[in-house]
């Protein structure tokens, strides 16, 4: 199953129903003026929390601002 979400102002997305399991999080497009993150992030979700790099309940993709020419 593939789910796609568009972030709101401030960059936050939420999925209402996520079942326990392993997921891959990818950024499809970056905000205007920013460079797209091309990495795929492996995320494990159990019944109670999200686990990514041993940090629970949150995940952040930080975009790099494009340089002005």
């Amino acid at each position: 199953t593939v789910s796609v979400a568009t972030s709101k102002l401030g960059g936050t997305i939420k999925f209402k129903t996520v079942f326990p399991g392993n997921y891959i999080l990818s950024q499809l497009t970056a905000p205007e003026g920013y460079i797209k993150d091309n990495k795929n992030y492996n995320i494990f979700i159990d019944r109670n929390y999200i686990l990514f790099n041993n940090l629970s309940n949150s995940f952040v993709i930080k975009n790099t601002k494009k340089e002005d020419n």
Side-chain angles (χ1 to χ4, degrees):
T1 301
V2 174
S3 295
V4 176
T6 301
S7 62
K8 305 292 184 211
L9 186 62
T12 302
I13 61 169
K14 292 183 180 182
F15 294 96
K16 290 184 179 186
T17 304
V18 179
F19 297 102
N22 291 298
Y23 293 86
I24 298 172
L25 181 65
S26 302
Q27 183 176 42
L28 300 178
T29 60
E32 187 174 331
Y34 288 83
I35 299 169
K36 179 181 166 295
D37 183 335
N38 290 313
K39 296 177 189 168
N40 291 322
Y41 296 94
N42 294 309
I43 298 173
F44 172 73
I45 299 176
D46 80 2
R47 288 180 353 148
N48 301 310
Y49 64 93
I50 299 170
L51 183 61
F52 171 77
N53 284 350
N54 297 320
L55 301 173
S56 61
N57 293 326
S58 66
F59 182 82
V60 176
I61 293 177
K62 295 194 179 224
N63 291 110
T64 303
K65 194 166 189 168
K66 291 180 180 177
E67 294 183 23
D68 293 332
N69 291 329

